[in-house]
Coordinates of all heavy atoms in Angstrom, one line a residue:
S81 N -4.0 -13.5 3.6 CA -2.7 -13.9 4.3 C -1.9 -12.6 4.6 O -1.4 -12.4 5.7 CB -1.9 -14.8 3.4 OG -2.5 -16.1 3.4
A82 N -1.9 -11.7 3.6 CA -1.1 -10.5 3.9 C -1.8 -9.5 4.9 O -1.1 -8.9 5.7 CB -0.9 -9.6 2.5
T83 N -3.1 -9.5 4.9 CA -3.8 -8.6 5.8 C -3.6 -9.2 7.2 O -3.3 -8.4 8.2 CB -5.3 -8.5 5.5 OG1 -5.5 -8.0 4.1 CG2 -6.0 -7.6 6.4
R84 N -3.8 -10.5 7.4 CA -3.5 -11.1 8.7 C -2.1 -10.8 9.2 O -2.0 -10.4 10.4 CB -3.8 -12.6 8.6 CG -3.7 -13.3 10.0 CD -3.8 -14.8 9.9 NE -5.1 -15.2 9.4 CZ -5.5 -15.7 8.2 NH1 -4.4 -15.9 7.4 NH2 -6.6 -15.9 7.9
Y85 N -1.2 -11.0 8.3 CA 0.3 -10.8 8.8 C 0.4 -9.3 9.2 O 1.1 -9.0 10.1 CB 1.2 -11.3 7.7 CG 2.6 -11.1 8.0 CD1 3.2 -12.1 8.8 CD2 3.4 -10.0 7.6 CE1 4.6 -12.1 9.1 CE2 4.7 -9.9 8.0 CZ 5.3 -11.0 8.7 OH 6.6 -10.9 9.1
A86 N -0.2 -8.4 8.4 CA 0.0 -7.0 8.5 C -0.6 -6.6 10.0 O -0.2 -5.5 10.6 CB -0.7 -6.2 7.6
T87 N -1.5 -7.3 10.5 CA -2.1 -7.0 11.9 C -1.2 -7.6 13.0 O -1.4 -7.1 14.1 CB -3.6 -7.4 12.0 OG1 -3.6 -8.9 12.0 CG2 -4.4 -6.9 10.9
E88 N -0.5 -8.6 12.7 CA 0.3 -9.4 13.6 C 1.8 -8.9 13.8 O 2.3 -8.9 14.9 CB 0.2 -10.8 13.4 CG -1.2 -11.4 13.5 CD -1.3 -12.7 13.0 OE1 -0.3 -13.3 12.5 OE2 -2.4 -13.4 13.2
R89 N 2.3 -8.5 12.7 CA 3.8 -8.3 12.7 C 4.0 -6.8 13.0 O 3.3 -5.9 12.5 CB 4.2 -8.5 11.3 CG 5.8 -8.0 11.0 CD 6.7 -8.9 11.7 NE 8.1 -8.7 11.2 CZ 9.2 -9.1 11.7 NH1 9.1 -9.9 12.9 NH2 10.3 -8.8 11.3
E90 N 4.9 -6.6 13.9 CA 5.3 -5.2 14.3 C 6.6 -4.7 13.9 O 7.6 -5.6 13.8 CB 5.2 -5.2 15.9 CG 3.8 -5.2 16.5 CD 3.7 -4.9 18.0 OE1 4.7 -4.5 18.5 OE2 2.6 -5.0 18.6
A91 N 6.7 -3.6 13.6 CA 8.0 -2.9 13.1 C 7.9 -1.3 13.5 O 6.9 -0.7 13.3 CB 8.1 -3.1 11.6
F92 N 9.0 -1.0 14.1 CA 9.1 0.4 14.6 C 8.0 0.8 15.5 O 7.4 1.9 15.5 CB 9.1 1.4 13.3 CG 10.2 1.0 12.4 CD1 9.9 0.5 11.1 CD2 11.6 1.4 12.6 CE1 10.8 0.1 10.3 CE2 12.5 1.1 11.7 CZ 12.2 0.5 10.5
G93 N 7.7 -0.1 16.4 CA 6.8 0.1 17.5 C 5.2 -0.1 17.2 O 4.5 0.2 18.0
K94 N 4.9 -0.5 16.0 CA 3.4 -0.7 15.7 C 3.3 -1.7 14.6 O 4.3 -2.1 13.9 CB 2.8 0.6 15.2 CG 3.5 1.3 14.0 CD 2.8 2.6 13.8 CE 3.5 3.3 12.6 NZ 2.9 4.6 12.3
A95 N 2.1 -2.2 14.4 CA 1.8 -3.2 13.5 C 2.1 -2.7 12.1 O 1.9 -1.5 11.8 CB 0.4 -3.7 13.5
I96 N 2.7 -3.5 11.2 CA 3.2 -3.0 9.9 C 1.9 -2.5 9.1 O 2.1 -1.7 8.2 CB 4.0 -4.0 9.1 CG1 3.1 -5.3 8.8 CG2 5.2 -4.5 9.9 CD1 3.8 -6.2 7.8
G97 N 0.7 -3.0 9.4 CA -0.4 -2.6 8.7 C -0.7 -1.1 9.0 O -1.6 -0.5 8.2
E98 N -0.1 -0.5 10.0 CA -0.4 0.9 10.3 C 0.5 1.8 9.4 O 0.4 3.0 9.5 CB -0.2 1.1 11.8 CG -1.1 0.4 12.6 CD -2.6 0.8 12.3 OE1 -2.9 2.1 12.2 OE2 -3.4 -0.1 12.2
H99 N 1.6 1.2 8.8 CA 2.4 2.0 8.0 C 1.8 2.2 6.6 O 1.2 1.4 6.0 CB 3.7 1.3 7.8 CG 4.5 1.2 9.1 ND1 5.2 2.2 9.7 CD2 4.8 0.1 9.9 CE1 5.8 1.7 10.8 NE2 5.6 0.5 10.9
Q100 N 2.0 3.4 6.1 CA 1.3 3.8 4.9 C 1.7 2.9 3.7 O 0.8 2.6 2.8 CB 1.6 5.3 4.6 CG 0.8 5.8 3.3 CD 1.1 7.3 3.1 OE1 2.3 7.6 3.0 NE2 0.1 8.2 3.1
A101 N 2.9 2.6 3.6 CA 3.5 1.8 2.5 C 2.6 0.4 2.4 O 2.2 0.0 1.3 CB 4.8 1.5 2.6
I102 N 2.3 -0.2 3.6 CA 1.6 -1.5 3.6 C 0.1 -1.2 3.3 O -0.5 -2.0 2.6 CB 1.8 -2.1 4.9 CG1 3.2 -2.4 5.2 CG2 1.0 -3.4 5.0 CD1 3.9 -3.4 4.3
K103 N -0.4 -0.1 3.8 CA -1.8 0.1 3.6 C -2.1 0.4 2.1 O -3.1 -0.1 1.6 CB -2.2 1.5 4.3 CG -2.4 1.4 5.8 CD -2.9 2.6 6.5 CE -3.1 2.5 7.9 NZ -3.6 3.8 8.5
L104 N -1.2 1.0 1.3 CA -1.4 1.2 -0.1 C -1.3 -0.1 -0.8 O -2.1 -0.3 -1.8 CB -0.3 2.1 -0.6 CG -0.3 3.6 -0.1 CD1 0.9 4.5 -0.7 CD2 -1.7 4.3 -0.5
K105 N -0.4 -1.0 -0.5 CA -0.4 -2.3 -1.1 C -1.8 -3.1 -0.8 O -2.2 -3.6 -1.8 CB 0.8 -3.1 -0.5 CG 2.1 -2.6 -1.0 CD 3.2 -3.5 -0.4 CE 4.6 -3.1 -0.9 NZ 4.9 -3.2 -2.3
L106 N -2.2 -3.1 0.4 CA -3.4 -3.8 0.7 C -4.5 -3.3 0.0 O -5.5 -4.0 -0.5 CB -3.6 -3.8 2.3 CG -2.6 -4.5 3.1 CD1 -3.0 -4.4 4.6 CD2 -2.6 -6.0 2.8
A107 N -4.6 -1.9 -0.2 CA -5.7 -1.3 -0.8 C -5.8 -1.7 -2.3 O -6.8 -2.1 -2.8 CB -5.7 0.2 -0.7
Q108 N -4.6 -1.6 -3.0 CA -4.6 -2.0 -4.3 C -4.9 -3.5 -4.5 O -5.6 -3.9 -5.5 CB -3.1 -1.8 -4.9 CG -2.8 -0.3 -5.1 CD -3.7 0.3 -6.1 OE1 -4.1 -0.2 -7.2 NE2 -4.3 1.5 -5.8
M109 N -4.4 -4.3 -3.7 CA -4.9 -5.8 -3.7 C -6.4 -6.0 -3.6 O -7.0 -6.7 -4.3 CB -4.2 -6.5 -2.6 CG -2.6 -6.7 -2.8 SD -1.7 -7.3 -1.4 CE -2.2 -9.1 -1.4
A110 N -7.0 -5.3 -2.6 CA -8.5 -5.4 -2.4 C -9.2 -4.9 -3.6 O -10.2 -5.5 -4.1 CB -8.8 -4.6 -1.2
I111 N -8.6 -3.8 -4.3 CA -9.4 -3.4 -5.5 C -9.4 -4.4 -6.5 O -10.3 -4.6 -7.3 CB -8.7 -1.9 -5.9 CG1 -9.0 -0.8 -4.9 CG2 -9.2 -1.5 -7.3 CD1 -8.2 0.4 -5.1
G112 N -8.1 -4.9 -6.8 CA -8.0 -5.9 -7.8 C -8.9 -7.2 -7.6 O -9.4 -7.7 -8.5
V113 N -9.0 -7.7 -6.3 CA -9.7 -8.8 -6.1 C -11.2 -8.5 -6.3 O -11.9 -9.3 -6.9 CB -9.6 -9.2 -4.6 CG1 -10.6 -10.3 -4.2 CG2 -8.1 -9.7 -4.3
H114 N -11.7 -7.3 -5.8 CA -13.2 -7.0 -6.0 C -13.4 -6.9 -7.5 O -14.6 -7.3 -8.0 CB -13.4 -5.7 -5.2 CG -14.9 -5.5 -5.1 ND1 -15.8 -6.4 -4.5 CD2 -15.7 -4.5 -5.5 CE1 -17.0 -5.9 -4.6 NE2 -17.0 -4.8 -5.1
A115 N -12.7 -6.1 -8.2 CA -12.9 -6.0 -9.7 C -12.9 -7.3 -10.4 O -13.7 -7.5 -11.4 CB -11.9 -5.0 -10.3
S116 N -11.9 -8.1 -10.0 CA -11.9 -9.4 -10.8 C -13.2 -10.3 -10.5 O -13.6 -10.9 -11.4 CB -10.6 -10.2 -10.2 OG -9.5 -9.5 -10.6
R117 N -13.6 -10.2 -9.3 CA -14.8 -11.0 -8.9 C -16.0 -10.5 -9.7 O -16.9 -11.2 -10.3 CB -15.0 -10.9 -7.4 CG -16.2 -11.8 -6.9 CD -16.4 -11.8 -5.5 NE -15.3 -12.4 -4.8 CZ -14.5 -11.8 -3.9 NH1 -14.7 -10.5 -3.6 NH2 -13.6 -12.4 -3.3
L118 N -16.2 -9.2 -9.8 CA -17.3 -8.6 -10.5 C -17.2 -8.9 -12.0 O -18.2 -9.2 -12.6 CB -17.3 -7.1 -10.2 CG -17.7 -6.6 -8.8 CD1 -17.5 -5.2 -8.7 CD2 -19.0 -7.1 -8.4
L119 N -16.0 -8.8 -12.6 CA -15.9 -9.1 -14.0 C -16.2 -10.6 -14.2 O -16.9 -10.9 -15.3 CB -14.5 -8.8 -14.4 CG -14.0 -7.5 -14.8 CD1 -12.5 -7.3 -14.9 CD2 -14.7 -7.0 -16.1
T120 N -15.8 -11.4 -13.3 CA -16.1 -12.9 -13.5 C -17.5 -13.2 -13.4 O -18.2 -13.9 -14.2 CB -15.2 -13.7 -12.5 OG1 -13.9 -13.4 -12.6 CG2 -15.5 -15.2 -12.7
H121 N -18.2 -12.7 -12.4 CA -19.7 -12.9 -12.2 C -20.5 -12.3 -13.3 O -21.5 -12.8 -13.8 CB -20.1 -12.3 -10.9 CG -19.6 -13.1 -9.7 ND1 -19.8 -12.7 -8.4 CD2 -18.7 -14.1 -9.6 CE1 -19.2 -13.6 -7.6 NE2 -18.5 -14.5 -8.3
D122 N -20.1 -11.1 -13.8 CA -20.8 -10.6 -15.0 C -20.7 -11.4 -16.2 O -21.6 -11.6 -16.9 CB -20.2 -9.0 -15.3 CG -20.8 -8.4 -16.6 OD1 -21.9 -8.1 -16.5 OD2 -20.0 -8.4 -17.6
A123 N -19.5 -11.9 -16.6 CA -19.3 -12.8 -17.7 C -20.2 -14.1 -17.5 O -20.8 -14.5 -18.4 CB -17.9 -13.0 -18.0
A124 N -20.2 -14.5 -16.3 CA -21.0 -15.7 -16.0 C -22.4 -15.6 -16.3 O -23.1 -16.4 -16.8 CB -20.6 -16.3 -14.6
R125 N -22.9 -14.4 -15.7 CA -24.3 -14.1 -15.9 C -24.8 -14.0 -17.3 O -25.9 -14.4 -17.8 CB -24.7 -12.8 -15.2 CG -24.7 -13.1 -13.6 CD -25.2 -11.9 -12.9 NE -25.3 -12.1 -11.5 CZ -24.4 -11.7 -10.5 NH1 -23.3 -10.9 -11.1 NH2 -24.5 -11.9 -9.3
R126 N -23.9 -13.4 -18.2 CA -24.1 -13.2 -19.6 C -24.3 -14.6 -20.3 O -25.2 -14.8 -21.1 CB -23.0 -12.4 -20.2 CG -23.0 -10.9 -19.9 CD -21.7 -10.2 -20.4 NE -21.7 -8.8 -20.1 CZ -22.1 -7.8 -20.7 NH1 -22.7 -8.1 -22.0 NH2 -22.0 -6.6 -20.3
I127 N -23.3 -15.5 -19.9 CA -23.4 -16.8 -20.5 C -24.7 -17.5 -20.1 O -25.3 -18.3 -20.8 CB -22.2 -17.5 -20.1 CG1 -20.9 -16.9 -20.8 CG2 -22.2 -19.1 -20.7 CD1 -19.6 -17.5 -20.4

């Protein structure tokens, strides 16, 4: 939802996803999602 909105919403003449502050937030979110998924699948495989 955040990524979609960042490509559609404009501020100061460009999509907010082009602003560094938003890029950093999206990157941290993506890292967390990917790491969480890998941790979950690893535990599931062990069981």
